[in-house]
Short mmCIF file of all heavy atoms in Angstrom, two decimals:
data_model
loop_
_atom_site.label_atom_id
_atom_site.label_comp_id
_atom_site.label_asym_id
_atom_site.label_seq_id
_atom_site.Cartn_x
_atom_site.Cartn_y
_atom_site.Cartn_z
N HIS A 259 -45.44 101.04 24.13
CA HIS A 259 -44.03 101.40 23.75
C HIS A 259 -43.13 101.38 25.01
O HIS A 259 -42.06 100.80 25.05
CB HIS A 259 -44.04 102.76 23.09
CG HIS A 259 -42.78 103.12 22.39
ND1 HIS A 259 -42.57 104.20 21.58
CD2 HIS A 259 -41.60 102.43 22.32
CE1 HIS A 259 -41.38 104.21 21.12
NE2 HIS A 259 -40.75 103.17 21.58
N TYR A 262 -42.41 97.90 26.01
CA TYR A 262 -41.38 97.29 25.26
C TYR A 262 -39.94 97.68 25.69
O TYR A 262 -38.99 96.94 25.52
CB TYR A 262 -41.57 97.70 23.70
CG TYR A 262 -42.34 96.67 23.00
CD1 TYR A 262 -43.54 97.03 22.39
CD2 TYR A 262 -41.89 95.30 22.90
CE1 TYR A 262 -44.27 96.07 21.67
CE2 TYR A 262 -42.58 94.38 22.16
CZ TYR A 262 -43.80 94.73 21.57
OH TYR A 262 -44.51 93.82 20.85
N HIS A 263 -39.81 98.92 26.23
CA HIS A 263 -38.48 99.44 26.64
C HIS A 263 -38.17 98.97 28.12
O HIS A 263 -37.05 98.61 28.37
CB HIS A 263 -38.46 100.94 26.65
CG HIS A 263 -38.14 101.50 25.31
ND1 HIS A 263 -36.95 102.04 24.94
CD2 HIS A 263 -38.91 101.60 24.23
CE1 HIS A 263 -37.00 102.46 23.79
NE2 HIS A 263 -38.17 102.20 23.29
N TRP A 269 -37.86 93.87 25.58
CA TRP A 269 -36.87 94.75 24.90
C TRP A 269 -36.26 94.18 23.68
O TRP A 269 -36.21 94.82 22.61
CB TRP A 269 -35.88 95.30 25.91
CG TRP A 269 -34.68 95.93 25.19
CD1 TRP A 269 -33.47 95.52 25.08
CD2 TRP A 269 -34.74 97.20 24.41
NE1 TRP A 269 -32.73 96.37 24.33
CE2 TRP A 269 -33.47 97.38 23.91
CE3 TRP A 269 -35.79 98.06 24.05
CZ2 TRP A 269 -33.17 98.45 23.06
CZ3 TRP A 269 -35.50 99.16 23.25
CH2 TRP A 269 -34.14 99.30 22.74
N HIS A 272 -38.30 94.82 20.63
CA HIS A 272 -38.36 96.21 20.16
C HIS A 272 -37.03 96.74 19.76
O HIS A 272 -36.80 97.72 18.94
CB HIS A 272 -38.97 97.04 21.28
CG HIS A 272 -39.13 98.51 20.90
ND1 HIS A 272 -39.96 98.92 19.84
CD2 HIS A 272 -38.66 99.66 21.47
CE1 HIS A 272 -39.93 100.26 19.78
NE2 HIS A 272 -39.15 100.74 20.72
N HIS A 275 -36.29 97.61 16.08
CA HIS A 275 -36.62 98.99 15.59
C HIS A 275 -35.51 99.97 15.92
O HIS A 275 -35.23 100.92 15.18
CB HIS A 275 -37.95 99.43 16.21
CG HIS A 275 -38.42 100.75 15.71
ND1 HIS A 275 -38.64 101.06 14.36
CD2 HIS A 275 -38.62 101.97 16.33
CE1 HIS A 275 -38.95 102.31 14.20
NE2 HIS A 275 -38.98 102.91 15.38
N HIS A 276 -34.90 99.72 17.12
CA HIS A 276 -33.92 100.69 17.59
C HIS A 276 -32.50 100.41 16.90
O HIS A 276 -31.51 101.12 17.20
CB HIS A 276 -33.79 100.71 19.04
CG HIS A 276 -34.90 101.55 19.67
ND1 HIS A 276 -34.67 102.94 19.88
CD2 HIS A 276 -36.14 101.29 19.97
CE1 HIS A 276 -35.85 103.41 20.42
NE2 HIS A 276 -36.73 102.38 20.44
N HIS A 350 -38.75 112.49 17.77
CA HIS A 350 -38.64 111.05 17.69
C HIS A 350 -37.23 110.60 17.32
O HIS A 350 -36.82 109.49 17.70
CB HIS A 350 -39.65 110.49 16.60
CG HIS A 350 -39.69 108.98 16.71
ND1 HIS A 350 -40.32 108.30 17.75
CD2 HIS A 350 -39.25 107.99 15.82
CE1 HIS A 350 -40.19 107.02 17.53
NE2 HIS A 350 -39.67 106.77 16.38
N HIS A 353 -35.69 109.83 20.44
CA HIS A 353 -36.08 108.49 20.88
C HIS A 353 -35.08 107.43 20.38
O HIS A 353 -34.90 106.45 21.05
CB HIS A 353 -37.50 108.17 20.51
CG HIS A 353 -37.87 106.85 21.00
ND1 HIS A 353 -38.07 106.50 22.37
CD2 HIS A 353 -38.16 105.70 20.35
CE1 HIS A 353 -38.34 105.25 22.46
NE2 HIS A 353 -38.45 104.72 21.27
N HIS A 354 -34.53 107.68 19.19
CA HIS A 354 -33.65 106.71 18.60
C HIS A 354 -32.20 106.84 18.95
O HIS A 354 -31.34 106.10 18.47
CB HIS A 354 -33.79 106.71 17.09
CG HIS A 354 -34.97 105.99 16.62
ND1 HIS A 354 -34.95 104.66 16.36
CD2 HIS A 354 -36.28 106.35 16.38
CE1 HIS A 354 -36.18 104.19 15.98
NE2 HIS A 354 -36.96 105.25 15.94
N TYR A 365 -41.59 108.29 24.32
CA TYR A 365 -42.31 107.14 23.89
C TYR A 365 -43.53 107.42 23.00
O TYR A 365 -44.01 106.59 22.26
CB TYR A 365 -42.81 106.29 25.07
CG TYR A 365 -41.72 105.71 26.01
CD1 TYR A 365 -41.68 106.11 27.26
CD2 TYR A 365 -40.83 104.81 25.39
CE1 TYR A 365 -40.63 105.57 28.09
CE2 TYR A 365 -39.81 104.33 26.20
CZ TYR A 365 -39.70 104.68 27.54
OH TYR A 365 -38.77 104.13 28.32
ZN1 ZN B 512 -38.70 102.59 21.29
#
Side-chain angles (χ1 to χ4, degrees):
H259 194 174
Y262 266 120
H263 276 255
W269 167 249
H272 185 57
H275 181 60
H276 280 270
H350 193 68
H353 177 67
H354 279 273
Y365 295 121

